């Protein structure tokens, strides 16, 4: 069976693969994500371009050490009315982000890239649109108290699979894409490359 390595420290992506019964190991590459994002934004890149570039960079870095393995890199970007959002560094940053997204529709763009032998063999980009309700300050304080540091583990400051569902009035898009990786197309590729039984 072909070895699969996930080039991501994301607990959500690891759980996604594990819950789907995918055998894999994790190796987190060192990538200057902030530098890549800043450079590409200055060049006028779109969020999807950035997600793709970062996913491929992560997977390629790990693939150089494991040329025979399939390596999956993934990345997600959040954009709202021309602004890009990153993972908040603390609870107050999460509060500020949620203020910025409150009552607006934002887009999540997720990309997965598979690399083998240092070369990209597959990629897939998908997006979803989420509308956040105009929640009260009391709700926001209560929400942040309940989720704690989890608010800093995802772009936007929420996990829609948990209490974060209460932030929204409408969601359009694939559930796994919202979580951070277009899982179903990836599973198809893994079946075609000997990681999973066809």
């Amino acid at each position: 069976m072909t070895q699969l390595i996930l080039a991501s420290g994301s607990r959500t992506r690891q759980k996604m693969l594990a819950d789907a019964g995918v055998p894999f190991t994790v190796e987190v590459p060192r990538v200057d994500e902030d530098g890549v994002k800043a450079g590409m934004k200055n060049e006028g890149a779109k969020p999807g371009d950035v997600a793709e570039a970062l996913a491929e960079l992560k997977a390629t870095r790990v693939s150089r050490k494991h040329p025979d393995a399939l390596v999956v890199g993934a990345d997600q970007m959040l954009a709202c009315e021309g602004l890009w959002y990153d993972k908040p560094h603390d609870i107050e940053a999460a509060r500020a982000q949620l203020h910025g997204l409150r009552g607006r529709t934002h887009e999540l763009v997720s990309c997965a890239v598979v690399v083998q032998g240092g070369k990209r063999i597959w990629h897939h980009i998908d997006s979803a649109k989420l509308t956040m309700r105009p929640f009260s300050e009391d709700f926001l304080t209560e929400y942040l108290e309940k989720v704690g540091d989890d608010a800093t583990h995802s772009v936007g400051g929420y996990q829609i699979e948990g209490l974060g569902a209460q932030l929204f009035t409408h969601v359009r898009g694939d559930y796994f894409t919202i979580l951070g990786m277009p899982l179903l197309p990836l599973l198809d590729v893994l079946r075609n490359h000997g990681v999973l039984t066809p």
Side-chain angles (χ1 to χ4, degrees):
M1 186 170 282
T2 305
Q3 181 190 12
L4 178 70
I5 302 172
L6 176 64
S8 172
S10 164
R11 295 183 305 182
T12 302
R13 292 187 185 108
Q14 292 170 25
K15 186 176 187 306
M16 240 191 285
L17 288 178
D19 287 351
V22 178
F24 69 98
T25 58
V26 174
E27 186 167 329
V28 182
R30 290 185 180 180
V31 173
D32 179 11
E33 294 192 36
D34 292 339
V36 172
K37 287 178 184 177
M40 292 188 73
K41 188 168 190 177
N42 288 339
E43 294 168 2
K46 295 178 181 177
D49 299 330
V50 178
E52 182 179 350
L54 284 169
E56 184 168 355
L57 181 59
K58 293 172 189 177
T60 302
R61 288 266 168 93
V62 172
S63 180
R64 288 178 186 149
K65 301 180 199 171
H66 308 278
D68 295 329
L70 286 182
V71 181
V72 177
D75 198 77
Q76 184 179 61
M77 293 287 293
L78 188 158
C80 183
E81 298 177 8
L83 295 177
W84 294 1
Y85 288 72
D86 292 309
K87 288 180 184 176
H89 56 273
D90 60 24
I91 295 296
E92 286 312 304
R95 181 185 295 275
Q97 284 198 7
L98 290 166
H99 271 144
L101 297 172
R102 179 170 59 183
R104 296 182 170 94
T105 297
H106 64 266
E107 182 178 31
L108 283 174
V109 182
S110 294
C111 180
V113 173
V114 176
V115 171
Q116 189 171 38
K119 295 182 179 179
R120 181 170 82 172
I121 61 172
W122 175 88
H123 79 286
H124 185 85
I125 299 174
D126 194 26
S127 65
K129 291 192 175 179
L130 299 86
T131 302
M132 212 171 262
R133 68 184 181 89
F135 48 79
S136 67
E137 285 299 313
D138 285 345
F139 172 82
L140 180 56
T141 296
E142 182 181 296
Y143 167 78
L144 290 171
E145 286 174 354
K146 286 181 178 177
V147 300
D149 285 343
D150 283 350
T152 66
H153 293 161
S154 64
V155 64
Y158 61 83
Q159 287 85 35
I160 198 168
E161 66 273 28
L163 189 62
Q166 290 195 35
L167 293 165
F168 297 94
T169 58
H170 192 70
V171 171
R172 294 190 305 275
D174 177 74
Y175 176 70
F176 299 112
T177 292
I178 293 167
L179 294 188
M181 187 165 63
L183 180 64
L184 299 183
L186 176 61
L187 293 177
D188 195 40
V189 172
L190 299 182
R191 284 188 289 269
N192 291 335
H193 286 81
V195 176
L196 298 173
T197 304

